[in-house]
Amino acid sequence: MRKKKRTIQLIVMMTALLIAVSSSFMMMNSYTKMRDVTQELQLRENQDAQYYSRYNVLFISSYAPEFMTVPMQLRGLQSVFRKHKISIIQEYMRSRLLHGKENGFYFHIKDVLKAEKRAGVNIDAVVAGGDEALTFVKKNQHTLFKGMPICFMGVNNRQAAIKAVKDPQITGSYSPDHIRETLTIATKLQPTAENIVCLYDETVAGLQNKRNFFVLKKYFKGEHFIGIDMGKYDLAGWTKRISQLDAKRDIVLYMSSYVDRNGHNYTIPETIKLLNDYCHAPVYRTRDNGQGSGVIGGVVYDTFYESQLAGKRIVDVIINHHDISKMRLFTNTHHQIEFDANVLKKYHLDQQVLPTNTHFLNQPDNLNSFTFTLMAGIAIIVALILLMIMEERSYYAYEKSITHLEYLNHHDDLTNMYSRAYAIEMLEKACLKHDGTLVMLDLDNFTMINDTYGHDKGDLVIKEVGTRLNNYGKAYGLFCARLSGDEYLVYYDHVIDSEELGHLRRAITRDMNIGHDQVHIGLSLGAALHQRGITAGELMTNADVALAHAKREGKNTMVFYNNAMKENITEEERIKEYLIEALRHDGFEMVYQPKVDPSNDLVIGYEALVRLKDRRYSPNIFIPIAESNGLISELSRQITEKVIKQLALWQKAGEKLYPVSINYSPAQIYDRGYVAYLAQTLSKYHIDARYLRVEITESLMMEDMSATNKLFEDFAHLGILTLIDDFGTGYSSLSYLMHLPISIVKIDKSFIDHYLVPGKESFIENMIKMLKDLDKLIVVEGVEEKWQKDKLNEYGVDAIQGYFYSKPLLPDDVLIFQHQHQ
């Protein structure tokens, strides 16, 4: 009977093969053309994904791209992202080779993010794949990934997963290795086994696997738990050791043997082949890679499903605007029981003891497999016949594909403007012919437009600006393109002046109606003049530098490039690199400037000020650079802990505590986890919130009023008083003084210098009286002269701060001053 089935199968497959060969010759020419065009289209769409995608997600994998689970993770993410126009930027830690050292990867990622930013690509979210990736992303969250929602997957360390999701910007799923369930099944398959042996190595993941394995010892009291660490052997020694294992005596669990004593790295297929060649016991595995190639099986979790879950969570956050802080740790990942029928047969193990829902790999031929083969053959025949019928239509499809390819090469699909790729190609040709001017344009505060009106209306703004630019370009014979996001390019084939540049700006920045909303458009422009000898790349860099300079000058302005700008950018990059090193190696320290009651010369508190330990750069230089380069959140958190820790040291020493204020930068407003971090740090060092105050500048009110109001409420909820710093330098002072929970107002030094002079004192006196009427405490900074102190005391200020009493002091000097003024 079996021989008859095989004969029928052979006939079916041979028939299908003959039809396939004959049909192939008939269709080869047109099919080849279609294949080439399709491949070129796919390649082009992949290369230009960042220009056609609405969103970009950075995927950081703990492993190398060839690691077996990585393609499955990518397929899971792409199955969700593709329909939402989300592209994936892939980076790999290759942690099997790192042994826990990721410094080099830190600088690699920093360069990647810098390059993407220069290319106009905004990273909207981060996906961390694996334990090492989660550790890296969490560690650098407030420097490299400031404000980005983070989702992790493939994490085996339960405690690390639980800790990570406590951060309001992080969510993810815990991927348990179903070791206990797998070993329970193994003890039934091998009832005579005395030992349970785990194979692991000394990589970060390997050591975690070791811990996960030995913690289960209490559940299997009848067997000895043995670990074989590949990191202690060379290849010869390891193969010799595993050759001593025996099916009657040993249950073998393969977790993570990748790196041997000599640092040689082995892929999973290579390791499984070695196990097949040398190990004399069935090998169990709890990961969905390796089954069907020699591993007996186990209870495995579904990598594809978990990746889809991560993708859906990212979509919910960046597109559906769900609150990531409310997304709990997901632990109920899909899993199934898989066993290889060939290996079960090889070791004479009774598959009847396996659970009824077991999925068998390499199952022997039966009626179902015969039926499947027959149906597959019929399906192949039908498909080939249909392909022959459709052959006549292939030429039309080919021509249509060519047209689509040309369009993709030249245009942006959202705005119908020329694309970045085509713009670069055009510039390279233009730079060989004549002088001209390149202008880069960038919308100001576009993120706020997205947050206020939603991403759909944000896209409408992008399209409307594109339409205006296209119309302007047609009217004046200019080349216009969309580079990416909210950044555009205009090229003039002649040298222009500021008047012509201003005309362009006015044509674009008039208010627009989006639905029922009127949206105000702010625009920054950077222009670079082209002269022969400058390449297209250099011209774009110069215009980009000018645009960045325009942004730093206050936005909604236009700047022409000059060589000094590039030198400034280079110096800023140098300082930024220095700050990153200082953040990573404890390069900052705090000094404290006293606040003194002028009526009795007694200290009432301090302001904490940050300094570089080596004093290489002053705060006036490094603070703005930290703010503009995404470093301020990490710096602020370090400052916060240093101040609270110092308060704890003074408290432990029995010193009287006075309130210390720390400065809050407007650039921190999107560090949503800062208030929680502040509360945790106060609790960690057992410091009462009344001893900490927060100084916030007036400029924050102009950034995001709703976020600012929430911030003040959060501080008040913790019991922390807030101060308005630099009062008198902003605009809408009275309105927010009356509506926000502000307790203390600090009057700026420049205000005092200008008005605390003969003939203008009444202005200062009336302002202080007004603040008193609003029930605010008043601090005046920058007081240097005794007559200033006496006059301000006469007006009734609560505290003064400045060199009249003291410069900022180191902690030990604070106590000396304090003992003299208390």
Side-chain angles (χ1 to χ4, degrees), residues 687-713:
I687 294 298
D688 194 299
R690 63 196 171 106
Y691 293 119
L692 195 72
R693 293 177 177 173
V694 178
E695 297 195 10
I696 300 177
T697 61
E698 277 192 306
S699 60
L700 183 64
M701 314 303 163
M702 309 303 293
E703 294 286 332
D704 187 335
M705 196 59 190
S706 61
T708 303
N709 191 47
K710 175 68 165 54
L711 183 68
F712 275 87
E713 291 174 355

mmCIF file of all heavy atoms in Angstrom, residues 687-713:
data_model
loop_
_atom_site.group_PDB
_atom_site.id
_atom_site.type_symbol
_atom_site.label_atom_id
_atom_site.label_comp_id
_atom_site.label_asym_id
_atom_site.label_seq_id
_atom_site.Cartn_x
_atom_site.Cartn_y
_atom_site.Cartn_z
ATOM 1 N N ILE A 687 14.383 62.295 51.778
ATOM 2 C CA ILE A 687 14.370 63.746 51.912
ATOM 3 C C ILE A 687 12.940 64.246 51.721
ATOM 4 O O ILE A 687 12.258 63.883 50.757
ATOM 5 C CB ILE A 687 15.311 64.403 50.878
ATOM 6 C CG1 ILE A 687 16.757 64.043 51.179
ATOM 7 C CG2 ILE A 687 15.134 65.917 50.867
ATOM 8 C CD1 ILE A 687 17.268 64.531 52.518
ATOM 9 N N ASP A 688 12.490 65.089 52.651
ATOM 10 C CA ASP A 688 11.155 65.677 52.562
ATOM 11 C C ASP A 688 11.109 66.656 51.382
ATOM 12 O O ASP A 688 12.047 67.421 51.152
ATOM 13 C CB ASP A 688 10.837 66.416 53.858
ATOM 14 C CG ASP A 688 9.353 66.756 53.964
ATOM 15 O OD1 ASP A 688 8.859 67.497 53.092
ATOM 16 O OD2 ASP A 688 8.702 66.282 54.911
ATOM 17 N N ALA A 689 10.002 66.633 50.641
ATOM 18 C CA ALA A 689 9.861 67.474 49.446
ATOM 19 C C ALA A 689 9.932 68.966 49.769
ATOM 20 O O ALA A 689 10.266 69.767 48.893
ATOM 21 C CB ALA A 689 8.539 67.158 48.740
ATOM 22 N N ARG A 690 9.673 69.357 51.022
ATOM 23 C CA ARG A 690 9.704 70.786 51.353
ATOM 24 C C ARG A 690 11.111 71.366 51.294
ATOM 25 O O ARG A 690 11.284 72.593 51.308
ATOM 26 C CB ARG A 690 9.096 71.026 52.728
ATOM 27 C CG ARG A 690 9.835 70.374 53.885
ATOM 28 C CD ARG A 690 8.957 70.340 55.122
ATOM 29 N NE ARG A 690 9.553 69.527 56.181
ATOM 30 C CZ ARG A 690 10.126 70.038 57.273
ATOM 31 N NH1 ARG A 690 10.188 71.345 57.436
ATOM 32 N NH2 ARG A 690 10.623 69.231 58.190
ATOM 33 N N TYR A 691 12.121 70.500 51.237
ATOM 34 C CA TYR A 691 13.496 70.985 51.153
ATOM 35 C C TYR A 691 13.986 71.111 49.706
ATOM 36 O O TYR A 691 15.147 71.424 49.474
ATOM 37 C CB TYR A 691 14.436 70.064 51.930
ATOM 38 C CG TYR A 691 14.194 70.093 53.418
ATOM 39 C CD1 TYR A 691 13.820 68.947 54.103
ATOM 40 C CD2 TYR A 691 14.324 71.286 54.129
ATOM 41 C CE1 TYR A 691 13.577 68.977 55.470
ATOM 42 C CE2 TYR A 691 14.082 71.326 55.497
ATOM 43 C CZ TYR A 691 13.711 70.166 56.161
ATOM 44 O OH TYR A 691 13.483 70.215 57.505
ATOM 45 N N LEU A 692 13.098 70.877 48.759
ATOM 46 C CA LEU A 692 13.471 71.018 47.352
ATOM 47 C C LEU A 692 12.505 71.976 46.670
ATOM 48 O O LEU A 692 11.289 71.898 46.877
ATOM 49 C CB LEU A 692 13.444 69.654 46.640
ATOM 50 C CG LEU A 692 14.164 69.627 45.288
ATOM 51 C CD1 LEU A 692 15.664 69.705 45.493
ATOM 52 C CD2 LEU A 692 13.811 68.368 44.516
ATOM 53 N N ARG A 693 13.055 72.883 45.863
ATOM 54 C CA ARG A 693 12.239 73.794 45.086
ATOM 55 C C ARG A 693 12.700 73.777 43.639
ATOM 56 O O ARG A 693 13.838 73.412 43.360
ATOM 57 C CB ARG A 693 12.314 75.204 45.676
ATOM 58 C CG ARG A 693 11.657 75.264 47.052
ATOM 59 C CD ARG A 693 11.748 76.597 47.717
ATOM 60 N NE ARG A 693 11.034 76.569 48.992
ATOM 61 C CZ ARG A 693 11.043 77.547 49.885
ATOM 62 N NH1 ARG A 693 11.740 78.672 49.630
ATOM 63 N NH2 ARG A 693 10.373 77.444 51.013
ATOM 64 N N VAL A 694 11.820 74.171 42.754
ATOM 65 C CA VAL A 694 12.123 74.133 41.317
ATOM 66 C C VAL A 694 11.976 75.541 40.748
ATOM 67 O O VAL A 694 10.941 76.190 40.940
ATOM 68 C CB VAL A 694 11.187 73.159 40.573
ATOM 69 C CG1 VAL A 694 11.495 73.173 39.087
ATOM 70 C CG2 VAL A 694 11.343 71.745 41.125
ATOM 71 N N GLU A 695 13.028 76.004 40.061
ATOM 72 C CA GLU A 695 13.007 77.312 39.412
ATOM 73 C C GLU A 695 12.743 77.138 37.919
ATOM 74 O O GLU A 695 13.462 76.399 37.239
ATOM 75 C CB GLU A 695 14.335 78.047 39.628
ATOM 76 C CG GLU A 695 14.620 78.342 41.095
ATOM 77 C CD GLU A 695 15.717 79.370 41.277
ATOM 78 O OE1 GLU A 695 16.118 79.999 40.267
ATOM 79 O OE2 GLU A 695 16.176 79.543 42.423
ATOM 80 N N ILE A 696 11.708 77.805 37.440
ATOM 81 C CA ILE A 696 11.281 77.681 36.051
ATOM 82 C C ILE A 696 11.283 79.063 35.405
ATOM 83 O O ILE A 696 10.746 80.014 35.972
ATOM 84 C CB ILE A 696 9.872 77.053 35.954
ATOM 85 C CG1 ILE A 696 9.885 75.649 36.576
ATOM 86 C CG2 ILE A 696 9.398 77.000 34.512
ATOM 87 C CD1 ILE A 696 8.533 74.975 36.605
ATOM 88 N N THR A 697 11.890 79.170 34.233
ATOM 89 C CA THR A 697 11.973 80.476 33.575
ATOM 90 C C THR A 697 10.651 80.846 32.911
ATOM 91 O O THR A 697 9.858 79.979 32.543
ATOM 92 C CB THR A 697 13.085 80.492 32.511
ATOM 93 O OG1 THR A 697 12.787 79.511 31.524
ATOM 94 C CG2 THR A 697 14.436 80.182 33.129
ATOM 95 N N GLU A 698 10.453 82.162 32.737
ATOM 96 C CA GLU A 698 9.232 82.648 32.091
ATOM 97 C C GLU A 698 9.067 82.095 30.679
ATOM 98 O O GLU A 698 7.955 81.894 30.209
ATOM 99 C CB GLU A 698 9.264 84.177 32.008
ATOM 100 C CG GLU A 698 8.815 84.873 33.282
ATOM 101 C CD GLU A 698 8.590 86.350 33.031
ATOM 102 O OE1 GLU A 698 9.496 87.030 32.537
ATOM 103 O OE2 GLU A 698 7.484 86.823 33.326
ATOM 104 N N SER A 699 10.181 81.831 30.006
ATOM 105 C CA SER A 699 10.098 81.401 28.601
ATOM 106 C C SER A 699 9.347 80.099 28.448
ATOM 107 O O SER A 699 8.796 79.809 27.389
ATOM 108 C CB SER A 699 11.504 81.265 28.010
ATOM 109 O OG SER A 699 12.257 80.309 28.728
ATOM 110 N N LEU A 700 9.296 79.290 29.512
ATOM 111 C CA LEU A 700 8.568 78.018 29.431
ATOM 112 C C LEU A 700 7.093 78.253 29.163
ATOM 113 O O LEU A 700 6.432 77.442 28.510
ATOM 114 C CB LEU A 700 8.769 77.229 30.726
ATOM 115 C CG LEU A 700 8.131 75.835 30.763
ATOM 116 C CD1 LEU A 700 8.785 74.927 29.719
ATOM 117 C CD2 LEU A 700 8.261 75.208 32.135
ATOM 118 N N MET A 701 6.559 79.365 29.668
ATOM 119 C CA MET A 701 5.136 79.642 29.470
ATOM 120 C C MET A 701 4.794 79.805 27.998
ATOM 121 O O MET A 701 3.663 79.589 27.571
ATOM 122 C CB MET A 701 4.725 80.921 30.220
ATOM 123 C CG MET A 701 5.240 81.009 31.639
ATOM 124 S SD MET A 701 4.726 79.616 32.652
ATOM 125 C CE MET A 701 5.872 79.771 34.004
ATOM 126 N N MET A 702 5.795 80.205 27.212
ATOM 127 C CA MET A 702 5.550 80.460 25.798
ATOM 128 C C MET A 702 5.666 79.187 24.971
ATOM 129 O O MET A 702 5.319 79.166 23.800
ATOM 130 C CB MET A 702 6.550 81.500 25.275
ATOM 131 C CG MET A 702 6.627 82.776 26.124
ATOM 132 S SD MET A 702 5.034 83.598 26.294
ATOM 133 C CE MET A 702 4.780 84.111 24.606
ATOM 134 N N GLU A 703 6.184 78.096 25.577
ATOM 135 C CA GLU A 703 6.425 76.870 24.811
ATOM 136 C C GLU A 703 5.152 76.039 24.654
ATOM 137 O O GLU A 703 4.730 75.720 23.570
ATOM 138 C CB GLU A 703 7.516 76.035 25.505
ATOM 139 C CG GLU A 703 8.888 76.676 25.511
ATOM 140 C CD GLU A 703 9.548 76.626 24.151
ATOM 141 O OE1 GLU A 703 9.246 75.711 23.376
ATOM 142 O OE2 GLU A 703 10.358 77.516 23.856
ATOM 143 N N ASP A 704 4.569 75.642 25.775
ATOM 144 C CA ASP A 704 3.414 74.742 25.731
ATOM 145 C C ASP A 704 2.628 74.958 27.026
ATOM 146 O O ASP A 704 2.937 74.369 28.054
ATOM 147 C CB ASP A 704 3.890 73.292 25.605
ATOM 148 C CG ASP A 704 2.745 72.323 25.376
ATOM 149 O OD1 ASP A 704 1.613 72.641 25.771
ATOM 150 O OD2 ASP A 704 2.992 71.241 24.806
ATOM 151 N N MET A 705 1.605 75.785 26.965
ATOM 152 C CA MET A 705 0.915 76.203 28.180
ATOM 153 C C MET A 705 0.228 75.035 28.882
ATOM 154 O O MET A 705 0.237 74.940 30.113
ATOM 155 C CB MET A 705 -0.100 77.296 27.847
ATOM 156 C CG MET A 705 -0.580 78.064 29.063
ATOM 157 S SD MET A 705 0.789 78.859 29.916
ATOM 158 C CE MET A 705 -0.028 79.395 31.413
ATOM 159 N N SER A 706 -0.375 74.135 28.121
ATOM 160 C CA SER A 706 -1.079 73.013 28.753
ATOM 161 C C SER A 706 -0.097 72.097 29.466
ATOM 162 O O SER A 706 -0.344 71.641 30.590
ATOM 163 C CB SER A 706 -1.880 72.228 27.708
ATOM 164 O OG SER A 706 -1.020 71.680 26.721
ATOM 165 N N ALA A 707 1.041 71.822 28.824
ATOM 166 C CA ALA A 707 2.056 70.978 29.462
ATOM 167 C C ALA A 707 2.641 71.671 30.683
ATOM 168 O O ALA A 707 2.930 71.032 31.700
ATOM 169 C CB ALA A 707 3.159 70.637 28.463
ATOM 170 N N THR A 708 2.820 72.990 30.596
ATOM 171 C CA THR A 708 3.361 73.750 31.722
ATOM 172 C C THR A 708 2.418 73.699 32.918
ATOM 173 O O THR A 708 2.834 73.492 34.060
ATOM 174 C CB THR A 708 3.604 75.213 31.309
ATOM 175 O OG1 THR A 708 4.485 75.236 30.190
ATOM 176 C CG2 THR A 708 4.222 75.997 32.445
ATOM 177 N N ASN A 709 1.143 73.869 32.666
ATOM 178 C CA ASN A 709 0.143 73.841 33.738
ATOM 179 C C ASN A 709 0.150 72.482 34.439
ATOM 180 O O ASN A 709 0.111 72.396 35.671
ATOM 181 C CB ASN A 709 -1.236 74.140 33.169
ATOM 182 C CG ASN A 709 -2.264 74.388 34.261
ATOM 183 O OD1 ASN A 709 -2.016 75.141 35.195
ATOM 184 N ND2 ASN A 709 -3.415 73.741 34.159
ATOM 185 N N LYS A 710 0.227 71.413 33.637
ATOM 186 C CA LYS A 710 0.276 70.057 34.212
ATOM 187 C C LYS A 710 1.534 69.883 35.049
ATOM 188 O O LYS A 710 1.509 69.273 36.126
ATOM 189 C CB LYS A 710 0.270 69.041 33.066
ATOM 190 C CG LYS A 710 0.433 67.578 33.505
ATOM 191 C CD LYS A 710 -0.774 67.095 34.276
ATOM 192 C CE LYS A 710 -0.805 65.570 34.398
ATOM 193 N NZ LYS A 710 0.396 64.984 34.959
ATOM 194 N N LEU A 711 2.642 70.451 34.587
ATOM 195 C CA LEU A 711 3.909 70.334 35.303
ATOM 196 C C LEU A 711 3.808 71.006 36.675
ATOM 197 O O LEU A 711 4.218 70.432 37.698
ATOM 198 C CB LEU A 711 5.024 70.969 34.481
ATOM 199 C CG LEU A 711 6.440 70.866 35.048
ATOM 200 C CD1 LEU A 711 6.927 69.432 35.015
ATOM 201 C CD2 LEU A 711 7.383 71.745 34.240
ATOM 202 N N PHE A 712 3.253 72.216 36.716
ATOM 203 C CA PHE A 712 3.097 72.919 37.983
ATOM 204 C C PHE A 712 2.200 72.127 38.948
ATOM 205 O O PHE A 712 2.475 72.046 40.148
ATOM 206 C CB PHE A 712 2.506 74.307 37.741
ATOM 207 C CG PHE A 712 3.520 75.348 37.390
ATOM 208 C CD1 PHE A 712 3.922 75.545 36.084
ATOM 209 C CD2 PHE A 712 4.095 76.126 38.373
ATOM 210 C CE1 PHE A 712 4.864 76.495 35.756
ATOM 211 C CE2 PHE A 712 5.041 77.098 38.060
ATOM 212 C CZ PHE A 712 5.434 77.278 36.740
ATOM 213 N N GLU A 713 1.140 71.547 38.413
ATOM 214 C CA GLU A 713 0.239 70.755 39.256
ATOM 215 C C GLU A 713 0.945 69.531 39.823
ATOM 216 O O GLU A 713 0.756 69.173 40.997
ATOM 217 C CB GLU A 713 -0.983 70.329 38.444
ATOM 218 C CG GLU A 713 -1.913 71.480 38.077
ATOM 219 C CD GLU A 713 -3.038 71.038 37.161
ATOM 220 O OE1 GLU A 713 -3.037 69.861 36.742
ATOM 221 O OE2 GLU A 713 -3.925 71.869 36.859
#
